[in-house]
Amino acid sequence: MNQANLDNKTNADPKTNLDRREFLTKSSIGLAGLAIAPGMITNKVRWGMLIDNNQCETGCNDCVTACNTENGLAPATKPTDAQWIRKVQLRDTLTDRVSSLPMMCQHCEHPPCVDVCPTQASFKRADGIVLVDKHICIGCRYCVMACPYQARSFVHEVLTDQKTEVPRGKGTVESCTLCVHRVDKGETTACAEACSKAGHNAILFGDLNDPESAIAKRIRSVASTQIRADLGLNTGVRYEGI
Amino acid sequence: MKMAIRLTAILFSVMIAATASAADKPHSIPLDIGKGGKCVEEPMEMRKIHMNLLKHQRDETMHKGIRGQKHSLADCVECHAGKETNNVLGSDKAFCQGCHTYAAVKLDCFECHTSKRKVPAEARK
Amino acid sequence: MSSTSFSRNESRYFYALAALGLFIVFLGYLGMHQMEEHGHIVSGMNNQIVWGLPHVFAIFMIVAASGVLNIGSIGTVFGQAPYKIRTPLAAIIAVGLLAGGLAVLMLDLGRPDRIIIAATYFNPTSVFAWNIFLYSGFFGLAVVYLWTSMEKRMYVWSKPVGLAMFAWRVILTSGTGLIFAFLVVRQAYASALLPPMFIVLSFAWGMAVFLLVQAAMFAWNNKILDPAILKRMKNLLGLFVISSLYLVAAYHMTNLYFAKQTGFELFILRDGGIYPMMFWGGYILIGSLIPAALIYTPGLGGTKSVVTASALVVFGSFALLYVFIIGGQAYPLSIFPGYEVSSSFGDGQIAKYIPSLPEALLGFGGLAIAYLITLIGTRVFNTMPHDAAVVAAKNDA
């Protein structure tokens, strides 16, 4: 008898629904006034980054350190350790020019990882951020095979002491989330913040779709390129100076 | 035949006794529930449907970026982590682990999510 | 004397063989348990070599499963009597191999406990997701195939079911090839030749496995395979081995022809240490040329030569898959063409991979599952090919 009552309650659950409706209304009202409304994502926004290879200092690792701290990653020492962002040293084989740049998930418009994922755990949010839904990731690593940028890592070990905002766990695949938990609060990414703090300003984060944003203005005026543009993935992360 | 009836009778009486004792003390596990009482929903309701609420919230947050809603796992941990341990796992007295061990239900949240309170209870006072 | 009546000694022999299989399955369980408990850190795999030894075993078994049923197809679809009576045996081996291969593939997942998600969440653009569907269909169809080939009343259905099975096999093996062929950014894999290559490889590997099982069954029952049938089957194995060589050569030649793949080809065929060694020594010499010689050299080609050749083909298949899967990942991605690159994450470097015991045990455990299913299947069902009638009919004609 008691059981039946409880079940009734579960099914009805009018309170939760109401709250949710209330919330949605509130936040969409908020959206009208704010460029970035925390809590509601839309495909009108496309988050991206512009990385200036000329400003990026060889030897500086601040973006990597900041990413590790923000997302609770231990500094990588083994080939089994996860790396969400890494510094790549480049030498042009024809001109001998040496430079370096940070490499991470490029948040493609047409992400190969999303295409190949058997369970739809790899997905792209409306605002262009490519994520892994670790609740349904079975750890097959097909996405790691498919990523043209070597941007994904597989968690090989049991993890403890994860950050509250950044769940990570053994047996699932992960990669740069474009600091989604910060972006949803209207903040910038940890790597971009660290790069500015170091005085290099090589990473510019913003909305590629907003013509008034700093990043949109810059890519309109300066030559920038996508890595492996030949693949036609339309990456959200662009580079200038390479 | 007589033997079988007798055995069946014994079996039934043992079963009834077992059921009765289970009914007498439904919540016999001493839990360190952190901040107790009614939280986001009625306790009885939470016991039954917290997993549904969490799953709903998880998909909203994951795919739609809706954060700060009331049924968030982080908030569960925030309130219900042990007063001393700041953890919802770690012992059979801990809020999540205690009940899940008692009910023999696999608990998969904390393979990835942290089971620890962000700000220790002492620091918050 | 019927081949299904076993003497006490044979029975004892059967239980000993089954115990051996169970023991290896148990070892596989131990390996799997290590990987499940500690994560893939106990395997040799890492963030560069994400698919390792378990995948070599799994893909061998899945491809060979499809190939074994080629025996059935030749019989039921193309009407060759000596092959038709081998359909039940082929179907049982195929079910066993697929079960073993899938077991390894699933237990190697990061979260094998969530395998049900593969059925509840389906991504139509994923070749992996298609394959999950193709594999389950294969199981069902193979069981129906077994039924139509053993139950007299169902014989009328054996041709249409055989035809469906044939089509399903071709699609399934193409699907396995496509898992790799769709990885357009990996120089080792982005090739339209992979699906046909896998199909022809499956013919060779399946034939080799079948000949091994058949030889064991004949030896067990103190029977001798009719020389004419042996000759037909070994010649077919030879043909498949040579066709495989042709497609593997074509795959590498086309890669060499594309200027930007040359670096990869030089690595895998010349400079890559273990990989060229396994390719030339393991696959080309031991796995193809020696078997072909054993089959075709005048004076050879008896039961012993054919069994040796089959075993070598299986060995060669593992060598080829090791080079293909692990060597293919060891060569770095070309993210910045025209630049020399280095990083903390393996950019521009050849990745290292050393197989570990747990993953090897998992692989062998899968083989043992295939072996056990075949062993039990051949005992429970009357799958012994009775060639007398076929041979007699031929002599009469």
Side-chain angles (χ1 to χ4, degrees):
Chain A
M1 192 61 221
N2 199 8
Q3 190 79 9
N5 277 340
L6 273 170
D7 281 338
N8 267 339
K9 247 187 218 169
T10 321
N11 292 339
D13 199 10
K15 198 152 168 281
T16 5
N17 284 335
L18 194 71
D19 284 350
R20 176 152 158 59
R21 221 172 285 138
E22 242 173 46
F23 172 81
L24 286 175
T25 333
K26 265 185 212 157
S27 45
S28 43
I29 293 165
L31 196 65
L34 280 165
I36 305 153
M40 281 298 284
I41 58 169
T42 152
N43 58 9
K44 294 196 175 69
V45 173
R46 169 121 199 254
W47 297 117
M49 295 203 285
L50 176 65
I51 293 162
D52 187 349
N53 188 215
N54 295 315
Q55 302 294 320
C56 179
E57 196 178 289
T58 307
C60 171
N61 223 25
D62 285 10
C63 52
V64 179
T65 315
C67 175
N68 288 346
T69 313
E70 177 67 32
N71 296 301
L73 275 76
T77 53
K78 305 186 293 288
T80 42
D81 288 339
Q83 297 193 31
W84 290 12
I85 181 172
R86 64 187 189 270
K87 281 295 291 285
V88 179
Q89 269 50 255
L90 298 170
R91 189 180 71 86
D92 191 323
T93 46
L94 299 177
T95 63
D96 262 351
R97 175 176 173 254
V98 173
S99 62
S100 86
L101 52 79
M103 191 72 208
M104 73 294 280
C105 171
Q106 303 285 296
H107 299 280
C108 310
E109 186 190 352
H110 309 291
C113 54
V114 174
D115 285 344
V116 301
C117 177
T119 65
Q120 298 186 332
S122 275
F123 71 101
K124 188 181 63 150
R125 290 208 323 181
D127 57 2
I129 300 180
V130 176
L131 295 173
V132 180
D133 186 343
K134 284 163 194 145
H135 305 106
I136 53 174
C137 173
I138 55 174
C140 74
R141 286 106 76 203
Y142 198 16
C143 57
V144 187
M145 291 287 271
C147 176
Y149 307 102
Q150 194 87 51
R152 289 211 157 172
S153 298
F154 179 65
V155 182
H156 288 77
E157 288 171 89
V158 176
L159 297 180
T160 49
D161 288 324
Q162 293 93 330
K163 305 283 270 203
T164 303
E165 297 87 355
V166 192
R168 311 171 53 220
K170 186 197 87 186
T172 56
V173 173
E174 57 182 22
S175 58
C176 156
T177 63
L178 210 66
C179 282
V180 64
H181 57 289
R182 292 168 61 113
V183 171
D184 281 346
K185 283 187 283 185
E187 294 169 15
T188 181
T189 62
C191 55
E193 190 179 85
C195 194
S196 308
K197 206 179 260 174
H200 302 310
N201 291 313
I203 307 179
L204 181 59
F205 167 84
D207 178 8
L208 296 165
N209 281 354
D210 172 11
E212 294 310 306
S213 70
I215 187 169
K217 282 179 183 163
R218 180 128 186 110
I219 58 172
R220 259 205 309 275
S221 55
V222 181
S224 64
T225 181
Q226 304 181 347
I227 293 178
R228 288 302 305 267
D230 56 322
L231 299 169
L233 305 173
N234 188 14
T235 59
V237 178
R238 303 181 66 94
Y239 291 80
E240 63 172 277
I242 54 168
Chain B
M1 192 60 208
K2 230 177 179 182
M3 188 67 172
I5 295 170
R6 211 175 290 166
L7 278 176
T8 319
I10 292 170
L11 180 69
F12 270 113
S13 51
V14 168
M15 273 166 65
I16 290 163
T19 329
S21 68
D24 284 345
K25 36 173 188 169
H27 312 300
S28 54
I29 28 166
L31 286 183
D32 180 0
I33 61 171
K35 212 165 85 183
K38 176 184 184 287
C39 54
V40 288
E41 307 292 343
E42 292 300 328
M44 240 357 242
E45 202 162 320
M46 286 308 286
R47 270 172 217 144
K48 261 194 83 74
I49 61 162
H50 65 277
M51 63 301 274
N52 305 344
L53 298 174
L54 281 169
K55 193 176 178 202
H56 180 75
Q57 171 81 56
R58 129 198 156 179
D59 290 338
E60 298 281 287
T61 306
M62 194 77 231
H63 292 266
K64 297 181 192 158
I66 296 169
R67 288 170 197 271
Q69 282 275 67
K70 68 175 185 175
H71 298 136
S72 96
L73 182 67
D75 287 349
C76 295
V77 173
E78 202 57 26
C79 282
H80 293 301
K83 287 195 179 85
E84 303 291 316
T85 58
N86 292 312
N87 203 331
V88 290
L89 305 182
S91 81
D92 282 351
K93 276 186 174 176
F95 185 69
C96 295
Q97 186 179 331
C99 203
H100 273 257
T101 307
Y102 181 79
V105 176
K106 193 187 168 198
L107 180 53
D108 201 14
C109 302
F110 303 107
E111 299 273 311
C112 290
H113 290 273
T114 182
S115 60
K116 289 176 190 153
R117 180 179 283 135
K118 213 172 172 184
V119 192
E122 303 88 47
R124 286 198 301 182
K125 273 183 190 166
Chain C
M1 201 202 90
S2 155
S3 62
T4 45
S5 67
F6 295 93
S7 71
R8 184 175 289 180
N9 268 342
E10 280 167 328
S11 216
R12 225 177 264 161
Y13 192 39
F14 168 79
Y15 285 113
L17 287 173
L20 176 73
L22 270 178
F23 177 68
I24 301 173
V25 170
F26 175 71
L27 289 181
Y29 167 79
L30 290 183
M32 180 223 65
H33 185 73
Q34 284 290 309
M35 280 168 70
E36 169 77 357
E37 186 83 0
H38 302 285
H40 279 61
I41 191 86
V42 299
S43 76
M45 290 174 261
N46 53 53
N47 280 322
Q48 264 65 45
I49 311 281
V50 295
W51 288 351
L53 204 55
H55 300 81
V56 172
F57 277 88
I59 291 171
F60 167 76
M61 282 184 264
I62 290 166
V63 170
S66 155
V68 165
L69 270 182
N70 199 42
I71 307 278
S73 298
I74 298 170
T76 46
V77 181
F78 303 107
Q80 302 294 313
Y83 286 97
K84 193 162 183 176
I85 53 168
R86 285 171 167 77
T87 303
L89 179 56
I92 283 171
I93 304 174
V95 167
L97 281 170
L98 189 68
L102 288 185
V104 174
L105 211 57
M106 284 177 189
L107 294 174
D108 172 76
L109 292 175
R111 297 295 307 252
D113 52 323
R114 289 182 180 165
I115 187 63
I116 191 69
I117 290 177
T120 54
Y121 291 78
F122 184 81
N123 179 8
T125 64
S126 169
V127 198
F128 245 28
W130 304 350
N131 277 354
I132 293 163
F133 173 69
L134 289 172
Y135 296 150
S136 13
F138 186 95
F139 265 121
L141 215 47
V143 170
V144 175
Y145 197 30
L146 186 65
W147 186 29
T148 58
S149 62
M150 295 195 77
E151 165 71 61
K152 280 206 171 69
R153 283 169 303 166
M154 295 297 290
Y155 277 0
V156 282
W157 287 100
S158 75
K159 190 148 188 175
V161 172
L163 210 63
M165 192 75 239
F166 179 67
W168 201 274
R169 266 184 339 102
V170 170
I171 298 169
L172 179 131
T173 316
S174 305
T176 312
L178 286 177
I179 289 177
F180 293 96
F182 280 1
L183 296 171
V184 287
V185 295
R186 298 251 172 195
Q187 308 196 27
Y189 305 135
S191 168
L193 268 175
L194 293 183
M197 185 175 106
F198 269 80
I199 288 178
V200 174
L201 286 171
S202 84
F203 292 169
W205 301 351
M207 195 74 191
V209 171
F210 185 87
L211 286 172
L212 287 173
V213 175
Q214 180 179 258
M217 284 180 74
F218 272 77
W220 191 0
N221 289 291
N222 292 319
K223 283 190 168 187
I224 292 163
L225 182 60
D226 179 72
I229 293 173
L230 177 68
K231 195 175 170 199
R232 277 182 77 167
M233 296 190 84
K234 67 135 190 161
N235 282 344
L236 196 57
L237 175 66
L239 181 69
F240 289 154
V241 167
I242 291 166
S243 317
S244 305
L245 263 181
Y246 167 74
L247 271 155
V248 172
Y251 156 78
H252 285 292
M253 297 291 271
T254 48
N255 262 356
L256 275 166
Y257 189 75
F258 298 132
K260 56 180 180 180
Q261 316 280 60
T262 316
F264 166 71
E265 283 301 322
L266 291 180
F267 167 75
I268 216 85
L269 299 180
R270 196 188 71 193
D271 306 328
I274 177 95
Y275 305 112
M277 214 170 78
M278 289 186 89
F279 181 78
W280 294 108
Y283 171 67
I284 300 285
L285 183 68
I286 299 176
S288 303
L289 296 181
I290 296 180
L294 284 170
I295 289 165
Y296 288 120
T297 307
L300 292 176
T303 308
K304 267 186 191 157
S305 313
V306 173
V307 168
T308 314
S310 304
L312 293 181
V313 167
V314 171
F315 175 84
S317 69
F318 274 82
L320 180 68
L321 282 175
Y322 193 92
V323 173
F324 179 72
I325 296 173
I326 293 158
Q329 295 171 79
Y331 193 74
L333 282 178
S334 164
I335 305 177
F336 300 95
Y339 288 89
E340 205 179 85
V341 293
S342 66
S343 79
S344 58
F345 206 50
D347 289 278
Q349 290 158 20
I350 305 296
K352 286 193 186 69
Y353 172 76
I354 300 160
S356 75
L357 184 63
E359 55 183 329
L361 290 181
L362 175 61
F364 281 108
L367 277 184
I369 290 175
Y371 160 82
L372 264 183
I373 291 178
T374 308
L375 183 73
I376 295 167
T378 50
R379 190 176 163 85
V380 172
F381 297 108
N382 179 16
T383 54
M384 183 73 197
H386 300 288
D387 288 319
V390 178
V391 175
K394 208 175 176 186
N395 289 344
D396 287 351

